[in-house]
């Protein structure tokens, strides 16, 4: 497939690792592990995609349908995610929780679209895991009707290659969307998101932790757009960069004209473990209404010396103190996951990463 | 209540530009349009040496291959660079030594510009006043420089840049284009090719400049783009405070202003650069008004050097301006204090860059954006820490104040850190003038406009208090005038 990639001259892609993405497209096929390793012990639908193809034998989709989906987006990567994908449609007041989806890549590129449409007061939760290698390109479109609630937890644990995710959501009146991402693998990544709060009193949250080491580059470029009254949103991102890696967080809150009483919160923090690592932050606000509360905070640095000193004075060796504080730093973002077993699994992934990076 | 106030706001927006006057003085024009001929004309007009002409021509050829930047959050109508004059010189008397000799009409214009009272007192012969040296740029040519003698006694060189090119070619050549390279950006390159005049300041080693230096820019001829070039070099241990203030007459045609300001601070030197900018912002429909596309950058080259930018931006239809500091010196310090006010249909995209290359370098950014009417006000900034820069500290605060429902306030900060010992903090808030604040101020006897002025001045005080005294007064007045009636 011929794909025209954006370039780093484009302002929105200036920190993107497009070289790794290009290289991942042509990686040779390699063995992939067992899909079962990536499922948590939860009762719910399970879907396995191998190199973008649905693996019916190892799946139990239940209400989730696998079908052809068009890629209706102008996003330069998301527009290529057309073909067979998965979709969930829930009618009013229905619930479907703990949907688990494993994306396994053996190399090369794969493109999978998805749609999630929740009726009034419907509830759903989805856990996605990306493992293996190659370039996984995904487009997820979400529509939440009045009062619907969706919790998404996505972990990127590919050992190599690149994962690019594009999320587009419309959040209706008093509906709530929470999407939390953990990048704890060896791949490059780009998490793109555009959440639009279209109904009064809607809530949108997108956040997570990106952990990078080696020559790795991971980034997010997400925006929440408030187009209705009384909306609130939260963007809480943490980046930890070691070795010569780079982690970039770009988050934007947009408040449209007339979207009064919006409360948008942004917190971007970066932690550098080595002097060769890079953290880039871009906490952006675009505000067209006067009666709003939008605060953002951004910090970059190393671990707090006072906290380090305190822990060491209580008898903890330096390495343990460092690990403890780093874990707490990352946990800020992961703690936003509502479901206990999912949160525990994500924290375990983060800890495994930290144990190696801090060793 | 709301409706009345909106009507008030509308009435204020309709108010004519208070300082929109224009005076007729014979001008010597370069042929209209932009070509190598224009560049040669300007250079010949200024009796420039060969190297300067070559430099200009190189820039012009480069500029032709470049494209105007489009990343700013601005809606810039296409500019026809061929439909403007690039050089206009008032037919001044020869050999002007002091302001007394200046064309009375020019003096009258200065008076309307409100050259500080100190200056007028000095002109009138009052002794013992604090001195401010004024290098007045009247449509592209520096027609008078006062206090030259006293400055010379201190060893300070304060000249128009064209004089400096003739008199101190080595000094100018050493630093011109070193802070803002020729190929830096579209507008800077254009300036390199056609800059008309500007200011050159050199403070020798260990000298504290005995007075504050100031320049008044003023765009006067119709369809004349102004391309100022300022170069300030503070040698080891030197100190200088420089004020730049601007007002411009009312015009229908859009006027382009693409200045370049370069500052160099060597070891232990300090430069304080203050700007009050009040160019014509266009009428109530956004027609006319100045395009202000300025490149300002400081090189803190020496150990412990310091550069402080303070700006109060109330004018111009479109502002594209990012006064920056390249902090190369160990323990060097960069500061940026800004108040940007937009009203009517104004658009401002302004901010700063702090590039930390030196160990222990520190920077402070305080930006206050105030939007009213149907305007857009954007803060765009970059804080970058190089891998070798240990112990860098930065603190950034961006506050926005929105007056009314039709305006926009945006914040686009970039933070790029490559050294773990850096401590970077960024905070931003967005607010409006609350009803409680207005109620309190008004029940104490203030009318709505004074109340707004009071609250806005309080919002911007961290920046205003960085300004030298005479500028602070002017700036407070400007804020009040710019926002009259815009709150409901």
């Amino acid at each position: 497939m011929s794909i025209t990639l954006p370039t780093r001259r484009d302002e929105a892609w200036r920190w993107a690792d497009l070289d790794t993405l290009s290289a991942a497209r042509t990686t040779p096929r390699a063995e992939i592990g067992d899909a079962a390793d990536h499922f948590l012990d939860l009762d719910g639908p399970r879907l396995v995609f191998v190199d973008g193809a649905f693996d019916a034998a190892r799946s139990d989709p239940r209400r989730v349908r696998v079908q052809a989906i068009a890629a209706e987006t102008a996003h330069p990567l998301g527009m290529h995610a057309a073909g067979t994908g998965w979709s969930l449609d829930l009618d009013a007041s229905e619930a479907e929780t703990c949907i688990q989806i494993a994306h396994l890549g053996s190399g090369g590129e794969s493109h999978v679209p998805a749609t999630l449409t929740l009726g009034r007061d419907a509830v759903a939760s989805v856990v996605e895991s990306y493992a293996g290698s190659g370039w996984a390109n995904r487009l997820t479109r979400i529509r939440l009707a009045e009062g619907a609630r969706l919790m998404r937890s996505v972990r990127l644990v590919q050992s190599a290659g690149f994962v690019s995710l594009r999320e587009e959501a419309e959040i209706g009146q008093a509906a709530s969307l929470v999407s939390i991402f953990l990048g704890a693998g060896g791949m490059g990544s780009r998490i793109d998101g555009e959440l639009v709060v279209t109904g009064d009193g809607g809530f949108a949250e997108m956040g997570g932790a990106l952990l990078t080491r080696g020559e790795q580059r991971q980034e997010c470029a997400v925006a929440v757009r408030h187009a209705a009254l009384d909306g609130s949103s939260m963007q809480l991102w943490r980046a930890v960069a070691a070795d010569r890696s780079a982690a970039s967080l770009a988050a934007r809150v947009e408040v449209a004209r007339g979207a009064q009483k919006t409360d948008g919160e942004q917190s971007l923090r970066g932690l550098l473990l080595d002097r060769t690592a890079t953290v880039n932050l871009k906490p952006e606000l675009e505000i067209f209404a006067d009666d709003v509360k939008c605060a953002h905070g951004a910090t970059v640095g190393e671990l707090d010396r006072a906290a380090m000193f305190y822990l060491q004075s209580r008898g903890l060796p330096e390495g343990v103190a460092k690990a403890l504080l780093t874990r707490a730093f990352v946990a800020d973002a992961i703690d936003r996951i509502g479901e206990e077993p999912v949160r525990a699994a994500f924290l375990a992934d983060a800890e495994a990463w930290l144990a190696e990076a801090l060793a | 209540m709301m409706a009345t106030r909106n009507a008030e706001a509308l009435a204020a927006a309709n108010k004519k530009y208070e300082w929109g006057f224009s005076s007729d003085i014979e001008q010597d024009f370069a042929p209209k349009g932009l070509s190598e001929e224009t560049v040669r004309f300007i250079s010949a007009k200024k009796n420039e040496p060969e190297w300067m002409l070559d430099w200009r021509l190189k820039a012009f050829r480069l500029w032709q291959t470049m494209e105007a930047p489009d990343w700013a959050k601005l809606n810039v109508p296409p500019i026809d660079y061929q439909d403007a004059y690039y050089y206009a010189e008032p037919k001044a008397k020869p050999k002007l030594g002091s302001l007394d000799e200046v064309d009375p009409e020019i003096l009258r214009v200065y008076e309307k510009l409100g050259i500080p009272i100190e200056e007028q007192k000095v002109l009138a012969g009052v002794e013992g006043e604090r001195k401010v040296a004024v290098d007045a740029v009247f449509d592209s040519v520096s027609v008078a420089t006062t206090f030259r003698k006293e400055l010379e006694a201190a060893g300070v060189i304060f000249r128009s840049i064209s004089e400096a090119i003739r008199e101190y070619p080595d000094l100018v050549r050493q630093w011109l284009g070193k802070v803002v390279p020729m190929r830096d950006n579209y507008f800077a390159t254009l300036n390199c090719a056609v800059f008309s005049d500007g200011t050159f300041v050199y403070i020798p080693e260990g000298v504290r400049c005995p007075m504050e230096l100031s320049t008044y820019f003023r765009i006067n001829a119709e369809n004349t783009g102004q391309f100022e070039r300022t170069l300030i070099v503070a040698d080891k241990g030197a100190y200088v405070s420089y004020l730049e203030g601007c007002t411009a007459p009312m015009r229908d045609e859009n006027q382009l202003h693409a200045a370049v300001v370069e500052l160099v601070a060597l070891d232990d030197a300090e430069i304080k650069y203050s700007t009050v900018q009040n160019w014509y912002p266009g009428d109530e429909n956004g027609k006319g008004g100045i395009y202000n596309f300025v490149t300002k950058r400081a090189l803190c080259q020496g150990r412990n050097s310091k550069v402080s930018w303070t700006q109060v931006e109330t004018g111009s239809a479109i502002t594209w301006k990012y006064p920056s500091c390249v902090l190369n010196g160990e323990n060097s310090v960069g500061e940026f204090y800004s108040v940007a006010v937009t009203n009517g249909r104004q658009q401002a995209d302004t901010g700063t860059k702090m590039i930390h290359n030196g160990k222990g370098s520190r920077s402070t950014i305080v930006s206050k954006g105030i939007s009213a009417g149907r305007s857009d006000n954007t803060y765009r900034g970059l804080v970058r820490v190089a891998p070798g820069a240990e112990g860098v500290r930065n603190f950034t605060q961006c506050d926005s104040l929105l007056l009314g429902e039709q305006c926009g306030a945006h914040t686009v900060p970039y933070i790029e850190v490559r050294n773990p010992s850096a401590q970077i903090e960024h905070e931003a808030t967005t607010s409006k003038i609350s009803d409680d604040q207005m109620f309190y101020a008004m029940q104490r006897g203030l009318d709505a406009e004074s109340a707004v002025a009071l609250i806005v001045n309080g919002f911007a005080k961290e920046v205003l208090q960085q300004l030298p005294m005479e500028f602070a007064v002017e700036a407070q007045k400007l804020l009040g005038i710019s926002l009259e009636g815009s709150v409901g």
Side-chain angles (χ1 to χ4, degrees):
Chain A
M1 196 189 321
S2 93
I3 289 176
T4 313
L5 295 172
T7 71
R8 292 180 63 176
R9 287 187 62 83
D10 187 342
E11 200 60 25
W13 296 83
R14 61 182 263 147
W15 294 326
D17 187 11
L18 298 160
D19 294 341
T20 302
L21 191 159
S22 300
R25 298 177 66 183
T26 53
T27 45
R29 303 279 166 186
E31 282 294 304
I32 49 171
D34 188 357
D37 295 346
H38 303 288
F39 287 128
L40 307 177
D41 187 17
L42 296 167
D43 181 37
R46 293 180 177 192
L47 286 86
V48 178
F49 286 88
V50 177
D51 290 328
F54 180 60
D55 185 343
R58 289 194 276 177
S59 301
D60 172 21
R62 303 192 203 175
R63 288 206 52 164
V64 180
R65 280 177 297 156
V66 175
Q67 59 189 17
I69 299 168
E72 290 162 14
T73 177
H75 188 264
L77 298 181
M79 63 194 286
H80 301 293
T84 304
W86 58 276
S87 63
L88 176 71
D89 286 275
L90 293 184
D91 291 332
S93 304
E94 287 186 314
E96 188 67 68
T97 53
C98 302
I99 299 166
Q100 295 191 67
I101 299 171
H103 300 268
L104 309 179
S106 69
E109 57 189 270
S110 67
H111 305 269
V112 177
T115 60
L116 287 143
T117 311
L118 271 60
R120 195 182 164 123
D121 295 324
V123 176
S125 70
V126 181
V127 182
E128 287 186 66
S129 304
Y130 290 83
S133 63
W135 175 32
N137 183 39
R138 303 290 182 265
L139 168 67
T140 308
R141 282 179 299 134
I142 298 164
R143 288 183 85 138
L144 304 183
E146 185 182 339
R149 283 178 290 145
L150 174 64
M151 170 82 228
R152 270 167 63 68
S153 315
V154 182
R155 56 178 169 174
L156 315 181
V157 288
Q158 278 196 192
S159 55
F162 198 91
V163 178
S164 59
L165 306 178
R166 168 67 178 175
E167 310 267 321
E168 293 180 3
E170 273 178 46
I171 298 154
Q173 190 181 334
S176 155
L177 169 64
V178 178
S179 288
I180 304 298
F181 298 81
L182 171 66
M187 75 286 136
S189 76
R190 163 97 180 182
I191 299 163
D192 255 288
E194 193 177 351
L195 315 183
V196 185
V197 181
T198 54
D200 293 351
F203 175 74
E205 169 162 357
M206 204 166 179
L210 301 182
L211 317 176
T212 61
R213 61 192 159 125
E215 303 284 341
Q216 199 182 358
R217 295 174 78 96
Q218 295 201 65
E219 67 165 333
C220 72
V222 299
V224 174
R225 180 174 174 76
H226 288 276
L229 294 171
D230 291 314
S232 52
S233 64
M234 173 87 168
Q235 292 172 319
L236 194 151
W237 288 91
R238 297 289 178 261
V240 179
D243 305 329
R244 286 167 308 283
S245 68
S248 308
L249 309 174
R252 182 167 71 234
V253 177
E254 299 174 18
V255 179
R257 207 169 296 298
Q260 302 291 17
K261 308 279 182 200
T262 290
D263 184 353
E265 202 182 325
Q266 245 181 8
S267 165
L268 307 184
R269 292 178 63 188
L271 185 62
L272 291 157
L273 297 181
D274 292 292
R275 53 173 301 163
T276 42
T278 303
V279 166
N280 300 316
L281 305 179
K282 187 182 174 195
E284 201 177 333
L285 299 176
E286 190 179 306
I287 297 165
F288 286 103
D290 62 340
D291 191 8
V292 300
K293 203 169 105 188
C294 285
H296 63 190
T299 60
V300 194
E302 54 190 350
L303 289 170
D304 183 6
R305 279 162 208 247
M308 279 294 287
F309 177 77
Y310 175 77
L311 291 178
Q312 284 175 274
S313 77
R314 306 303 293 174
L316 268 64
E318 190 186 345
V320 177
K322 206 170 166 183
L324 195 65
L325 289 173
T326 312
R327 201 174 301 151
F329 181 85
V330 174
D332 271 0
I334 307 298
D335 278 347
R336 306 295 300 175
I337 297 173
E339 296 149 306
E340 172 65 41
V342 180
R343 186 166 65 231
F346 275 48
L347 279 173
D349 284 336
E351 292 212 4
W353 186 92
L354 289 172
E356 279 184 50
L358 296 173
Chain B
M1 191 71 176
M2 203 69 177
T4 345
R5 289 211 177 128
N6 282 345
E8 276 173 21
L10 220 67
N14 286 336
K15 232 175 61 169
K16 292 291 179 269
Y17 184 58
E18 196 168 303
W19 294 327
F21 50 88
S22 71
S23 51
D24 287 323
I25 297 171
E26 279 183 81
Q27 300 249 358
D28 218 352
F29 286 106
K32 199 175 191 176
L34 186 51
S35 65
E36 285 203 11
E37 285 315 300
T38 323
V39 176
R40 285 177 198 281
F41 177 91
I42 294 168
S43 186
K45 223 34 198 163
K46 309 224 148 262
N47 290 323
E48 282 176 356
E50 192 66 25
W51 63 267
M52 198 63 233
L53 175 64
D54 291 344
W55 197 72
R56 283 175 183 273
L57 287 173
K58 194 175 158 201
F60 179 70
R61 285 167 198 148
L62 183 64
W63 177 75
Q64 287 174 307
T65 66
M66 295 168 83
E67 284 177 16
D70 60 357
W71 41 260
K73 203 173 171 52
L74 298 172
N75 181 14
V76 185
I79 298 168
D80 184 356
Y81 290 93
Q82 298 305 331
D83 188 33
Y85 295 96
Y86 286 83
Y87 183 77
E89 181 179 28
K91 286 202 167 162
K93 293 177 193 169
K95 284 188 194 168
L96 289 164
S98 74
L99 275 175
D100 296 342
E101 297 170 37
V102 173
D103 189 331
E105 190 157 2
I106 295 181
L107 270 184
R108 204 173 51 76
V109 174
Y110 285 165
E111 206 167 300
K112 279 197 214 166
L113 272 172
I115 283 180
I117 292 172
E118 275 92 331
E119 176 71 1
Q120 289 179 11
K121 280 182 185 162
V122 171
L123 286 173
V126 179
E127 284 190 20
E129 290 296 327
R130 191 152 75 101
K131 289 170 182 143
V132 179
V134 180
D135 175 37
V137 179
F138 191 84
D139 258 17
S140 321
V141 175
S142 217
V143 291
T145 302
T146 52
F147 298 110
R148 189 178 280 188
K149 286 233 159 61
E150 186 171 346
L151 289 170
E152 263 167 15
V156 174
I157 302 170
F158 181 37
R159 290 279 192 282
S160 76
I161 195 125
S162 26
E163 282 177 312
I165 288 168
R166 290 192 296 269
E167 294 173 27
Y168 303 95
D170 295 340
L171 207 48
V172 175
R173 218 170 161 173
Q174 186 185 349
W175 293 109
L176 191 71
K178 292 295 184 296
V179 187
V180 179
M182 184 187 283
R183 55 173 65 245
D184 191 76
N185 69 73
Y186 187 76
F187 300 113
T189 310
L190 176 63
N191 178 287
C192 290
V194 299
F195 74 83
S196 36
D197 214 328
T199 308
F200 173 76
V201 180
Y202 174 78
I203 316 290
E205 193 170 334
V207 170
R208 190 178 169 91
C209 187
M211 64 191 76
E212 284 176 344
L213 304 178
S214 67
T215 304
Y216 284 79
F217 291 114
R218 183 163 165 73
I219 301 176
N220 197 283
E222 202 163 354
N223 286 331
T224 309
Q226 257 212 339
F227 302 92
E228 302 298 338
R229 186 96 199 180
T230 302
L231 173 60
I232 299 176
V233 181
D235 213 323
K236 291 176 184 169
Y239 168 85
V240 62
S241 166
Y242 187 87
L243 324 175
E244 175 198 82
C246 339
T247 57
M250 184 182 241
R251 291 292 174 205
D252 279 333
E253 293 291 320
N254 288 313
Q255 292 179 309
L256 175 64
H257 187 99
V260 172
V261 176
E262 297 178 285
L263 310 184
V264 181
L266 301 181
D267 287 0
D268 303 304
E270 180 177 350
I271 301 175
K272 190 172 163 62
Y273 195 103
S274 316
T275 308
V276 171
Q277 188 264 110
N278 181 32
W279 280 325
Y280 180 50
D283 66 12
E284 55 271 35
N285 297 314
K287 189 168 153 47
I290 307 290
Y291 294 174
N292 189 17
F293 301 149
V294 184
T295 307
K296 291 185 171 181
R297 194 171 304 154
L299 189 61
C300 291
Q301 189 61 30
R303 293 167 65 98
N304 307 324
S305 57
K306 177 177 176 184
V307 167
S308 177
W309 296 101
T310 307
Q311 60 172 25
V312 176
E313 301 277 321
T314 61
S316 295
I318 304 177
T319 303
W320 180 97
K321 179 180 177 186
Y322 316 91
S324 307
C325 295
V326 181
L327 301 162
N328 285 345
E330 206 172 304
N331 297 329
S332 55
V333 177
E335 292 179 340
F336 176 76
Y337 295 95
S338 167
V339 178
V341 180
T342 54
N343 201 350
R345 296 255 181 192
Q346 276 176 278
Q347 306 175 61
D349 194 301
T350 182
T352 186
K353 289 184 197 177
M354 293 291 172
I355 313 291
H356 291 268
N357 296 325
K359 286 182 182 161
S361 53
R362 307 188 297 280
S363 61
T364 306
I365 300 172
V366 177
S367 168
K368 306 278 180 177
I370 302 162
S371 345
R374 306 175 71 86
S375 66
D376 274 301
N377 200 329
T378 304
Y379 167 82
R380 186 181 301 274
L382 168 69
V383 176
R384 179 181 287 159
V385 181
E390 298 290 334
V392 165
R393 296 223 47 175
N394 162 267
F395 173 74
T396 303
Q397 168 128 24
C398 302
D399 295 328
S400 304
L401 189 66
L402 290 122
L403 310 180
E405 296 167 353
Q406 298 297 314
C407 54
H410 319 298
T411 314
V412 193
Y414 289 81
I415 301 166
E416 303 182 350
V417 182
R418 306 191 60 185
N419 187 305
S421 64
Q423 281 186 53
I424 309 295
E425 293 166 69
H426 175 100
E427 286 174 20
T429 61
T430 300
S431 53
K432 64 169 192 167
I433 295 180
S434 73
D435 294 343
D436 290 354
Q437 286 172 312
M438 283 299 283
F439 177 77
Y440 178 78
M442 288 174 74
Q443 63 100 353
R444 306 300 295 174
L446 296 177
D447 59 37
E449 292 196 340
S450 315
V452 170
L454 182 77
I455 293 163
V456 166
N457 275 310
F459 173 75
K461 86 169 181 286
E462 283 162 277
V463 176
L464 295 178
Q465 68 198 11
Q466 297 293 329
L467 287 170
M469 192 58 179
E470 56 277 317
F471 256 28
V473 174
E474 195 179 330
Q476 282 200 6
K477 223 169 84 181
L478 271 177
L479 289 190
I481 292 169
S482 307
L483 292 169
E484 266 172 11
S486 53
V487 153

